[in-house]
Amino acid sequence: MNNVTVRAISGVVFILVMLACLMFNKFLFAGLMVFIMSVMLLEFYKITMGNSYTGSKVLAIIAAIFLFAIMFAASAYRIPIRYVALAMVPVFIVMINSLYVKDKEEYGKFSNIYTGLLYIAVPIALSNLIAFDKAGNFSGDLLLCFFIIIWCADVGAFTFGISLGKRFPKKLFPSVSPKKTRVGFIGGFVSAVLAAFVLYEVNILKFPLVHCLILAMVMSVSAVYGDLFESQWKRVYGVKDSGNIIPGHGGLLDRFDSTLMAMPFGAIYLALFDLL
């Protein structure tokens, strides 16, 4: 099969798995997010640290899962929010463990352990606040809306960039991602807003229209920065794709780079107006 066919098939399968896990059961949701988070951390650590300090990387991933589990329990079972502080315990264990590492030649790489936790684990753990309401009831509708807005922004940016990029070649951020154009950014922005409007009209995104549209604007802009942030890491380390887990698409970090910044900013916007 050619690359386009492989990308299409793997993309459809990927979306179907996402839909199944987001819509039917809170434990499927948790399993999906933990899997995505763990793979993204592995990919990030592979890019930035290679094969060094394997034990510390494993401890960091365990710390990330522990953080997600506490946020899940706080959101689903209403345990006191103060217990979220326990998530720092495995992080401190990672710090203490670094003292016992005998080979200190590349010790500076340990900073990437904590960067990965902040960059990947924290946003994914916060997805619990989007997937559960204040009473602890699970509904993947809002999280699905977040993904749809982000995906539409990505598709819109790609479509506008391909079709109009030669006519309007002004680059968005050439030093980091030379293929991204300003017209692509505009296309993604418009597509995200239109997606939010449609979701509002079909009563899936259940906020006042003005908030739906502003939410899409905030997420569209932050998604671009999330994409550029990951691109910068790959450029610094000379990596094309973060992995190859999705045939034709690369790694999970390549697929969720936009989400890691768009999802928290979307949640922050809704929280500021007491909509979350």
Side-chain angles (χ1 to χ4, degrees), residues 4 42 71 82 84-85 91 104 120 208 215 222-223 225 254 270:
V4 174
L42 283 172
M71 291 298 297
R82 62 178 177 271
V84 173
V91 177
K104 298 292 200 297
I120 296 170
L215 174 67
S222 54
Y225 280 107
D254 295 323
L270 294 178

Side-chain angles (χ1 to χ4, degrees), residues 29-47 54 56-69 113 116-117 119-125 127 242-243 245 251-253 256 260:
F29 152 75
L32 173 71
M33 300 310 288
V34 166
F35 174 76
I36 290 172
M37 177 180 67
S38 300
V39 173
M40 285 197 293
L41 283 169
L42 283 172
E43 292 176 348
F44 180 76
Y45 292 147
K46 180 68 175 178
I47 291 171
T54 301
S56 298
K57 290 186 284 191
V58 171
L59 283 175
I61 293 172
I62 292 172
I65 294 172
F66 193 65
L67 171 62
F68 183 92
I113 291 280
L117 291 173
Y119 170 42
I120 296 170
V122 171
I124 295 298
S127 66
S242 66
I245 192 171
L252 285 185
L253 190 55
F256 287 94
L260 290 174

Side-chain angles (χ1 to χ4, degrees), residues 148-216:
I148 290 174
I149 290 171
I150 295 167
W151 291 338
C152 287
D154 286 344
V155 171
F158 178 79
T159 303
F160 274 64
I162 289 295
S163 59
L164 299 174
K166 291 184 178 180
R167 186 174 180 183
F168 303 100
K170 189 70 174 179
K171 301 299 181 180
L172 182 65
F173 220 116
S175 63
V176 175
S177 186
K179 292 184 178 180
K180 286 183 173 58
T181 60
R182 294 186 180 183
V183 72
F185 168 78
I186 294 171
F189 186 88
V190 171
S191 298
V193 172
L194 287 176
F197 178 76
V198 172
L199 291 169
Y200 169 81
E201 285 294 317
V202 298
N203 201 34
I204 299 177
L205 193 55
K206 300 177 182 179
F207 302 122
L209 179 58
V210 63
H211 285 297
C212 293
L213 300 181
I214 295 175
L215 174 67

Side-chain angles (χ1 to χ4, degrees), residues 66-67 70-71 80-92:
F66 193 65
L67 171 62
I70 291 177
M71 291 298 297
I81 196 67
R82 62 178 177 271
Y83 288 114
V84 173
L86 291 173
M88 287 302 298
V89 173
V91 177
F92 288 138

